[in-house]
Amino acid sequence: MATILIVNAGSSSLKFQLFSIDGGDTLERLLKGQLDGIGTKPRLVVRDARGQVVAENAFSADKVEDLAAAQDVVGTWLLGHVGTPPTAVGHRVVHGGPFYSEPTVVDDQVLVTLEELIPLAPLHQPNNLAPIHSIRRQRPDLLQVACFDTAFHRGHPEIADRFAIPEAFYREGVRRYGFHGLSYEYIAGRLRELAPDLAKGRVIVAHLGSGCSMCALVGGRSVESTMGFTALDGLPMGTRPGQIDAGVVLYLLGEKVMDVKAVEHLLYHECGLKGLSGISSDMRELLASSDKRARLALDYFVYRVAMAAGALAAAMGGLDGFVFTAGVGENAPTIRQAIAERLAWLGIEVDPVANAEGRLRISSPQSRVTVLTVPTDEERMIAGHTLAILRHSAR
């Protein structure tokens, strides 16, 4: 059986999905799994296409101490369960820099270039690349495809990509890239299926999860995004601050005498909802808490999302649709309702029952703007890109 393995590696987890491919372009999800707690309490859980658990194993910390070891464990389990190695592997890679605007076959030079981009995404890029290195060591002949979170935004007009800094920096690649592009690309495709008329118009997609951003789509193409040079910018996130005055960073370096690594750790791991609340980075815990600090964090999050939505609507010259997606966007009706209430001036009105039930369309009949909740599927997007490259390389 020919299969495509999709790998999405994080700092302490390795998510994967396995798709079967027939002679055409059909992708059928066979398995979906995650090995989390890497280096602390490793645990592998795999489910089949029906959501039934087919494997649940715990490991000692020294058995799965890093992502390379996690890849070995997952690869060994898959080979034993499926019987044959995958035909190709697709990877989510957060940053493609100014170099990659489409999915790319990984070779030695591509890996060197992607390693050079680590300073632009220190929280994600090293983890994204670790499984690629591991697989190349064991199976150098296996086709691996890198799919970039920045690629979908590469068509932005120059005015949207620029910072107001000297030209030389822009030529070096210091520009606004935007992220979560695989999610936005998937949602743009789903809109063409679910609401084709809306897909032709002006739509804001809110990817709200542990990492958060928003994207302005016009005719299904990205024209603006809240994230910029790195995945720190824009909306407040689980542990990242979002938009912050550069002077704060200068203050931390100068007055607080923090070194660069300390500032980097603070901005990537100690800010956002975690920093504001002092309780948790998890939206579910904050929603369940009666602590006033949790309320502050939630109110701040909603306030900033609404502000960003106004800016994106201005960039498009109006708004026809608003889409919630990702973990929080798909599963937190309270947050959706609060954001919608702050955006009433744009003509958004949510139906409370439809919103509480998480229906596809949650806007009321009176709403001038169509509001949808659409689950994202970055792994299927990666699988589609990988299959296209696999088919092309076979010609």
Side-chain angles (χ1 to χ4, degrees):
M1 176 174 59
T3 58
I4 289 176
L5 174 64
I6 305 304
V7 176
N8 186 346
S11 58
S12 62
S13 67
L14 183 71
K15 298 177 183 178
F16 62 94
Q17 295 192 27
L18 189 71
F19 293 83
S20 68
I21 51 178
D22 62 14
D25 295 326
T26 302
L27 289 163
E28 180 183 352
R29 184 182 283 110
L30 300 175
L31 298 168
K32 179 178 182 178
Q34 178 169 331
L35 201 169
D36 58 17
I38 295 171
T40 55
K41 295 181 179 180
R43 180 170 173 266
L44 173 67
V45 178
V46 187
R47 300 179 185 273
D48 62 19
R50 297 172 298 171
Q52 300 297 311
V53 175
V54 295
E56 188 169 3
N57 301 318
F59 303 90
S60 61
D62 60 344
K63 174 68 174 178
V64 189
E65 60 184 1
D66 55 24
L67 280 167
Q71 180 63 47
D72 291 345
V73 168
V74 169
T76 299
W77 184 89
L78 283 170
L79 187 60
H81 184 80
V82 180
T84 56
T87 310
V89 183
H91 298 267
R92 176 194 177 213
V93 178
V94 165
H95 218 307
F99 312 107
Y100 302 109
S101 59
E102 59 187 18
T104 301
V105 175
V106 176
D107 58 22
D108 291 340
Q109 184 53 56
V110 168
L111 266 178
V112 168
T113 303
L114 296 181
E115 294 277 1
E116 292 172 351
L117 294 172
I118 286 176
L120 306 190
L123 187 66
H124 301 89
Q125 198 86 343
N127 302 319
N128 299 157
L129 301 182
I132 298 177
H133 284 294
S134 177
I135 293 171
R136 280 176 66 79
R137 285 193 295 269
Q138 298 178 41
R139 289 285 308 278
D141 58 322
L142 183 59
L143 176 69
Q144 295 195 79
V145 177
C147 299
F148 305 99
D149 260 346
T150 51
F152 186 63
H153 304 293
R154 285 298 305 281
H156 282 183
E158 184 178 332
I159 196 170
D161 279 352
R162 287 272 192 163
F163 292 112
I165 58 178
E167 171 76 17
F169 292 107
Y170 179 74
R171 291 199 302 268
E172 291 173 11
V174 182
R175 61 187 70 180
R176 300 184 70 251
Y177 290 101
F179 297 88
H180 292 132
L182 291 162
S183 176
Y184 295 128
E185 185 179 6
Y186 178 81
I187 295 297
R190 287 292 287 152
L191 283 179
R192 288 192 291 272
E193 300 170 2
L194 298 170
D197 290 338
L198 182 62
K200 298 174 185 176
R202 301 162 297 184
V203 178
I204 292 173
V205 182
H207 178 106
L208 308 179
S210 177
C212 300
S213 70
M214 296 165 71
C215 176
L217 298 178
V218 177
R221 296 178 62 87
S222 172
V223 298
E224 183 58 273
S225 173
T226 57
M227 278 185 172
F229 182 56
T230 71
L232 282 172
D233 199 10
L235 306 179
M237 298 166 244
T239 61
R240 287 169 271 169
Q243 183 181 17
I244 188 170
D245 185 341
V248 174
V249 178
L250 296 177
Y251 173 81
L252 296 175
L253 293 169
E255 298 300 317
K256 304 300 288 185
V257 199
M258 295 173 67
D259 62 26
V260 172
K261 283 296 181 184
V263 173
E264 179 183 284
H265 179 82
L266 172 72
L267 295 178
Y268 276 101
H269 298 282
E270 301 297 335
C271 294
L273 298 179
K274 179 182 178 181
L276 273 172
S277 70
I279 298 171
S280 175
S281 62
D282 192 315
M283 184 70 75
R284 293 165 296 188
E285 292 185 31
L286 297 178
L287 285 168
S289 174
S290 59
D291 193 306
K292 64 181 181 180
R293 297 173 300 166
R295 173 48 53 191
L296 170 65
L298 294 172
D299 288 346
Y300 182 88
F301 179 81
V302 169
Y303 175 69
R304 287 292 170 177
V305 170
M307 283 185 64
L312 293 178
M316 295 187 290
L319 185 63
D320 303 306
F322 194 103
V323 178
F324 289 99
T325 194
V328 174
E330 295 169 24
N331 299 300
T334 303
I335 297 297
R336 293 196 298 259
Q337 181 71 47
I339 292 170
E341 288 173 359
R342 278 199 168 268
L343 295 177
W345 64 275
L346 276 172
I348 289 179
E349 182 180 319
V350 163
D351 180 296
V353 175
N355 180 48
E357 294 178 353
R359 298 179 193 170
L360 168 63
R361 178 171 179 149
I362 62 172
S363 49
S364 70
Q366 295 78 32
S367 181
R368 297 197 305 273
V369 174
T370 300
V371 184
L372 306 178
T373 302
V374 181
T376 193
D377 195 339
E378 294 163 302
E379 286 78 14
R380 185 171 287 276
M381 197 76 245
I382 297 169
H385 286 313
T386 304
L387 178 60
I389 288 178
L390 182 63
R391 295 291 187 234
H392 181 76
S393 62
R395 292 174 186 169

